[in-house]
Amino acid sequence: MLEGEQKDPAQADRGAVGPIRSYQWILPDVGEGIHEAEIVRWLVGPGDWVGLDQPIADIQTDKSVMEIPSPVAGQVARLFAQEGQLVRIGTVLVEFAVAAPNPAGDAPNGLPPGQSPHQANLAPSSERRVLATPAVRRLARELGVNLQQVTPGGEGGRVRAEDVRRHANAPQPTDDHPVEPVEPVELVEPTAPLASSPGRMDRVPFRGTRRAIADHMVKAKFTAPHVTTMDEVDVARLVALRESLRPEAERRGVRLTYLPFVLKAAVTALREYPYLNASLDDERAEIVLKREYHIGIAVDDPTGLVVPVLRDVDQKSILQLSVELAALTEKAHARTLSVPESHGSTFTVTNFGSLGGRFATPIINYPEVAILGTGRIEQRPIVLADGSLAARPVMGVVLTFDHRVIDGGLAARFLNRVMGLLGYPERLLLEML
Amino acid sequence: MVGTPPNVAEDHLVDWFRWMITMRTFDQRAWNLQRQGKIGTYAPFSGQEAAQIGCMSALRADDWIASSYREWAGLAYFGVPLVQPLLSSAGHPDGGCMPESLNVLPIQVVIGAQLLHGVGLAWASKLQQQGRVAMTVFGDGATSQGDFHEALNLASVMKLPAIFVCQNNRWAISLPVERQMNVRSVAQRALAYDIDGFRVDGNDVLATAQVMRSVVDRVRQEQVPVLVELVTYRLGAHTTADDPTRYRDAGEQAAGAAADPLVRYAAYLTAQGLLDAAARARMQQEAQSAVDHAVAELERRGRVDAWTVFDQVYATRPAQLEEQRHELQQRVLAHRADGAGGGAR
Ligand SMILES: Cc1ncc(C[n+]2csc(CCOP(=O)(O)OP(=O)(O)O)c2C)c(N)n1
Ligand SMILES: [Mg+2]
C-alpha cells in the first residue's frame, strides 16, 4: 500500500544486490484519531542496518508509549526529527535505503529471510519477554541497562524502575568474557544534539513529565484565583501519640508517620465543610460537592512531581492508610500507578515539610478547590495560655483555596478545625466509624 | 488437558496446531503493520486461537458464521483468506467481501449485533430446510447488550438451529468480567431460555472441539439453540489503540501467559509423539511465508478509488447511493485536478 517514493537511487556502501531505492516512512495515526506524537527515543541512527519489524523508535501519544517496528529492511539514511520533538501525523520521519524490489523479509542485516526480529508486544515468545512498563524500559535505555539481565523485584516478575537503578549501580563484573549482546536497542546518538548554544549553558528539552506538570500548573493557577492562609499548631500531643503508637505499628510491620493523622484530620474537616471537597463545573454553572474522599498525595520524584490518589480515606484506619501510603509512594516512584491510583482525587495534601520549609503557598490540584500543606515540625518558642514561654514542637499548616468557591472565613474555619484535630489528636477518636 | 481425548484423526490434531502457529504469527505481524501505518485499527486475538479454531472445527463447510472483529483465527481456519483481515483493517472496500464459497458474514463491530443476524440466518435455514446451522460468536461484553437477550429468546421460542458461542476472554476493553455481570458464568444464562448451556476451557483446543462437535450435531438434528461459553484470555491489547498495562497488572498478565493455549497444546502433542522441534520449526517457517504472502497480497491490492466503497453494499445500487457515489467521484477528481496529487484515501 504505502510504497516508498522512488528517488535517485543512491548506491549504499554495502555491495547490495540490485538497485537501491529510497523509502520514506511517514508517521501514521498509531492510535485512533491522534494528531501528533512525541519522539521519545530513536532506537536506530543513520547508517544502521535494520531488519523488517525491528524496533526503530519509541513514540508517545496521549494514550501511551509505543514501539515502532521498521516498515522495511534496509539501511537508515536519515532521521527527520529529534528526540523530544512533537511530530504531526503525516510527517516523513525516516528515510531508508532499500534494495529494490523490497520483498518482505529481504533483510540485509543477516537475519534469515522472513524472520521477524521483533515479536510484537502481544504474547510471550520463546525468548523471555521482560515485564516492564514503557517508562521503565526507557529508564533502562537511558542508563544503558539490558532489561534481560535485571533481577525483577516487582509483582509477577515485573521489572521496576528501582530494579533497573539498582542494576545500573551494581559494580559491573570485570570478567574477560565479552558482555552478552545487549538488546538491539543500543543507540547511536541521532544527528545533531539540540541546538547547542555558545557560552556556558545547557539547554534541556522541555517535554514529557515536565511539560505535563507545567500545563497542569498553568491551568490551575490561571483558572482558579488562589489565596493561601497560614498558621502554626502546637503538635506536642500528636508527637507523643505517634511515639506511643509506633512500637505497636512496627510490630505489625508498619512504619507510622504523621501523614495518616493529617489525612484523618483533613477528611474529618472535609466532611464538615463540603465546599472544600468540591469542584466547579463551569459549563453547567454548578459547584459539585463530592461525597467521596479520595485524597491526592504530592510525592516528590527526581523525574517530577507525582500525585498518587489514596481512595476512600474516610473509610480506612490510620494503620491501613500507612500501609497504602507506603505502597502508593513506591508505585509513584516506579511510575506504575494504575488509573484509579493516579486519577480522581477530590482534595490534595502536600507535606512539603518533609523536604524542609515551614510555610509554602501550594498550587491547587485543579479541578479541586483547595489543597492542604504541612510544614516541618520543629521546636519553637511559643506563648502558652498562662502567658509563659515554652519550647514546643510546632508545625506550620497552610491552606490554598479557590476564591471562586471558597471565601476567607470558610477557609479559616476549615483550617482551624484541622488544627484542632492535629493539636488534640485524641479528638479523632470521636470521629471513628 | 484432561479426560478422554476426542476421537480425532492424528493429522487433524497436528493441523490445529499448524493453524494456531500460523495465526499467532499473523497476529503479531498485523500489529506491526498497524504501527507502520500499513493498516488501521486492528484487534489482536493472541491467546484465543484454541477457542476460535476449536469452535469452528465442528462446522460443516456450508454452515453460517456471524462473528465479531476478533475471530480471525477461527475464520481463517474455516477458509477465509489471510489477506481478508488486513484488507478489513486497512479500510479497503473489499474488507467485507468474504469468499462466495463460504457462508460467512462480514465481521461485526457493533457489539452483539451479529447475534441477531445469526438468529435470522438460523431461522431462514430452518424455513428452507437446508440442514445448516448458524454459529454466532461474540465476547463476554456482548452478553450485556439487549441484543443478546433478544437473540437467545427468539431462538429459543422459535426453536432455531443457532449456536451462540461466547468467547469469554475476561475483558471488554478495560472492564473485567466480574464487573460486567453478577452471575458466575455466561453459560448459566441458558437456563433463562430453557436451552442447554456449556462452559468449556477454551484454551484447551481438544475440549473445545469435542464439546462443539456434540453441540453442532445436536443443534442440527434437533433444531434447537445452544449456548456455549469458551473461557479464554486475551493476551494482548484490546486493539492497537489500547494499552492494557493501564488496567491490568503484571501478575494477571503473567498468569494469562502461563495458560497460553499454544504452549499447552504443544506440550500435549509433544508428549503424544505427534510434534518435535523440527516439525515445529517447519511449521513456523510455513506460517511466516503464509503471512508474508498475505502482506504481499495486501500491497498488491493497493489503494483504490474512494468512491468504490459504495460498490459492495447492494447487488444493484439504489438511486440515492448511485447519486452519492457520483458526487464523491466528482469531488475526488476535482481535488486531484487541483494538484492535491495522490490517490484518494
Ligand atoms: C453497541 C456497541 N457499544 C459499544 C461499542 C464499543 N466497544 C467496542 S469493543 C467493546 C468491548 C467488547 O467486549 P467483548 O464483547 O468482551 O469482546 P472482546 O473485545 O473482548 O472480544 C466495546 C464496548 C461497540 N463497538 N458497539
Ligand atoms: Mg471480552
Side-chain angles (χ1 to χ4, degrees), chain B residues 1 16 20 49-50 53-54 201-210 265:
Chain B
M1 316 211 164
W16 289 339
M20 284 161 74
E49 293 92 342
I53 291 167
D201 176 356
N203 281 4
D204 178 343
V205 69
L206 301 180
T208 305
Q210 191 167 21
Y265 196 40

Side-chain angles (χ1 to χ4, degrees), chain A residues 78-296:
Chain A
R78 277 173 78 187
L79 302 178
F80 291 89
Q82 308 279 354
E83 288 183 356
Q85 196 176 326
L86 268 183
V87 183
R88 292 188 70 82
I89 303 308
T91 312
V92 175
L93 274 191
V94 188
E95 186 175 308
F96 297 89
V98 186
N102 165 44
D106 176 16
N109 62 350
L111 290 167
Q115 182 170 318
S116 144
H118 172 48
Q119 302 280 304
N121 185 11
L122 283 169
S125 61
S126 48
E127 63 198 274
R128 184 168 77 99
R129 168 101 196 153
V130 178
L131 290 171
T133 61
V136 171
R137 289 177 184 281
R138 181 177 176 185
L139 178 71
R141 271 182 229 116
E142 282 168 1
L143 297 178
V145 168
N146 178 0
L147 278 177
Q148 298 273 355
Q149 296 171 350
V150 178
T151 315
E155 206 182 314
R158 181 184 283 241
V159 174
R160 304 163 302 174
E162 57 201 276
D163 302 330
V164 172
R165 288 201 193 94
R166 192 180 321 109
H167 186 91
N169 292 333
Q172 294 306 312
T174 49
D175 57 3
D176 34 17
H177 301 294
V179 187
E180 276 202 23
V182 195
E183 271 192 308
V185 291
E186 255 329 274
L187 44 141
V188 180
E189 267 310 308
T191 55
L194 274 188
S196 63
S197 39
R200 289 158 170 258
M201 61 172 84
D202 289 328
R203 298 183 71 89
V204 178
F206 182 54
R207 58 172 146 111
T209 309
R210 195 67 254 153
R211 191 169 55 206
I213 295 173
D215 290 347
H216 193 63
M217 294 300 168
V218 168
K219 169 112 192 188
K221 192 92 192 205
F222 285 88
T223 307
H226 280 51
V227 182
T228 304
T229 172
M230 309 183 177
D231 212 329
E232 283 182 326
V233 53
D234 173 352
V235 288
R237 285 163 176 273
L238 179 60
V239 171
L241 179 65
R242 183 185 78 124
E243 225 29 70
S244 72
L245 293 176
R246 213 148 63 155
E248 167 70 10
E250 239 150 57
R251 211 168 311 123
R252 294 164 70 170
V254 179
R255 201 176 75 86
L256 191 61
T257 65
Y258 291 108
L259 192 49
F261 294 94
V262 173
L263 293 178
K264 273 298 182 195
V267 166
T268 302
L270 285 174
R271 289 161 63 111
E272 293 163 21
Y273 299 97
Y275 278 79
L276 281 102
N277 195 53
S279 64
L280 184 58
D281 184 343
D282 256 331
E283 235 160 69
R284 298 174 53 176
E286 284 169 355
I287 297 169
V288 186
L289 306 178
K290 299 176 183 164
R291 280 197 227 98
E292 294 170 315
Y293 302 89
H294 305 321
I295 310 297

